Amino acid sequence: MLDESLLDTPEALAEADHRGLLRGAAEAGARVRTAARHAAEAGIGDLKPDGRPRAVLIAGPGAAATHAADLLGTLAGPGSPVTRLAPTGVAPAAGALRWELPGWAGSVDLLLITTPDGTEPGLALLAEQAYRRGCTVAAVAPPGTPLAEAVAGAHGLFVALATAPYEHDEPLAASAPGVLWALLTPLLALLDRIGLLGAPTGSLEKVADRLDQIAERCGPAIATYSNPAKTLAAELADALPLVWTEGTSAGPAGRRFAAALAELSGTPAMVAELPEALAAHSALLAGPLAARANPDDFFRDRVEEPPALHARVVLLRDRPIAGLTAAPAARDLALSHDTPISELEPDPGGELETLAELIAITDFAAVYLALASRA
């Protein structure tokens, strides 16, 4: 159960935050700036590419690599050559995972390796395989690791991962707020340089500024009633989130939110894009998960009996309300089944900025839910 009183007690939140998740969320803007500086120091700005690669292959362990591939593919647009290489292995442990290049991969393709660890034997072997095939290799990982040595041996481009001292005490969660931006920012700079998407230095600075603004609005010192992330966390207590997204950029933000809820707080969530979500989840809203499904819930003992699990729609949008939208139909469907709905829509800005805002608010919400649920 969620301890709502803890949400408005910054000292208690800090004491419960053993993994530095809140600090990572608050420092996301600074992480983008540091990662952009590391990318520049690695020489990304000096590259003179011969042209766009035929394919961009992304490999790495856990949710961080999955989210990076999802975001980069979305930003690159329809027909994007971005593909994630899924690992194989007998266990989820990093040392047991292996990655293989597709049979067609060769000298006109680009391999990107992203990891907050860098000790995975499978990634070092992948870099060596790419070198033998003639693929160009680039990696974002901690310096001084076996992967860094493998990339150097493959004559690839290595960018040092932007980390904070407090993150060295224990392994980083793949969905931790700081990890995504540390891995993603150098890749954005690289793909901008080769002409696959638009992420110039000015855009990355705007992303960092927007992340700083969200940190001010959603920080632990801001009360729940005026804090969108704390409000969302409180609304999702004892609920099954149905994350509905509308707009190109909102899709990967919603998928990341669902993954962060599962990994950080143990909250299951389902995600779908509008308008398909209306058909995909209509049966859920009409079934036992609907708020009106258990009329006896009003009379239960609030102390002795746990609450029944009911659905709550979370609508993430990156389109203006005046445009073509399925949001009214989504609201009608939810409310017709007595299902509450939470909505998030970013302030106007470029695609990278609005995407960053949606990710930042939902990251804070997932962290608050994790901390207040374990108190």
Side-chain angles (χ1 to χ4, degrees):
M1 294 181 64
L2 186 80
D3 182 358
E4 293 193 33
S5 64
L6 184 141
L7 288 177
D8 285 326
T9 311
E11 297 80 7
L13 283 171
E15 185 177 350
D17 189 12
H18 305 296
R19 294 180 289 176
L21 296 175
L22 269 178
R23 189 170 178 179
E27 295 176 352
R31 193 70 59 97
V32 169
R33 295 186 183 92
T34 302
R37 187 177 71 251
H38 287 185
E41 292 170 352
I44 286 180
D46 299 326
L47 295 176
K48 296 179 174 58
D50 295 330
R52 292 174 48 161
R54 176 183 61 179
V56 177
L57 307 172
I58 300 181
T66 302
H67 300 326
D70 191 9
L71 289 162
L72 293 173
T74 298
L75 293 169
S80 162
V82 177
T83 302
R84 175 179 175 260
L85 298 181
T88 58
V90 297
L97 298 179
R98 293 293 182 270
W99 289 262
E100 291 289 336
L101 291 175
W104 47 262
S107 59
V108 293
D109 303 311
L110 171 63
L111 172 65
L112 303 177
I113 301 176
T114 65
T115 173
D117 188 345
T119 63
E120 303 91 343
L123 290 178
L125 292 173
L126 180 65
E128 296 170 3
Q129 182 186 15
Y131 176 65
R132 293 193 300 270
R133 295 272 201 96
C135 292
T136 302
V137 181
V140 183
T145 57
L147 177 60
E149 297 176 4
V151 172
H155 302 288
L157 174 70
F158 181 81
V159 181
L161 182 73
T163 59
Y166 60 87
E167 291 176 336
H168 300 161
D169 297 335
E170 59 182 276
L172 296 173
S175 294
V179 174
L180 174 67
W181 295 110
L183 293 175
L184 183 63
T185 302
L187 302 184
L188 288 170
L190 176 59
L191 296 190
D192 172 77
R193 187 64 181 170
I194 64 178
L196 197 62
L197 51 79
T201 303
S203 293
L204 294 179
E205 187 60 38
K206 289 181 179 178
V207 167
D209 291 341
R210 181 70 65 99
L211 292 172
D212 287 344
Q213 293 168 12
I214 299 304
E216 292 177 1
R217 289 173 51 196
C218 299
I222 307 301
T224 298
Y225 69 86
S226 59
N227 187 321
K230 287 184 179 180
T231 298
L232 181 58
E235 291 171 345
L236 293 182
D238 306 315
L240 172 66
L242 302 183
V243 183
W244 293 353
T245 67
E246 184 174 57
T248 305
S249 298
R255 290 186 285 273
R256 171 174 168 77
F257 185 35
L261 286 172
E263 182 176 358
L264 300 182
S265 69
T267 301
M270 303 185 70
V271 60
E273 296 186 14
L274 290 175
E276 290 86 352
L278 303 180
H281 291 168
S282 60
L284 287 172
L285 297 181
L289 291 174
R292 68 183 181 194
N294 184 11
D296 295 332
D297 185 66
F298 179 80
F299 300 100
R300 71 176 171 85
D301 188 318
R302 285 332 196 233
V303 176
E304 300 294 335
E305 300 180 41
L309 184 67
H310 294 311
R312 184 181 190 98
V313 171
V314 180
L315 179 57
L316 304 183
R317 304 179 63 226
D318 66 351
R319 290 180 179 174
I321 296 177
L324 182 63
T325 174
R331 298 185 191 102
D332 291 344
L333 177 62
L335 296 178
S336 68
H337 293 292
D338 294 335
T339 299
I341 184 169
S342 304
E343 297 191 40
L344 288 179
E345 183 173 354
D347 293 333
E351 185 176 24
L352 269 175
E353 294 173 74
T354 58
L355 177 60
E357 180 171 336
L358 288 175
I359 290 175
I361 294 177
T362 52
D363 273 355
F364 267 106
V367 170
Y368 284 128
L369 187 59
L371 298 181
S373 297
R374 295 177 181 177

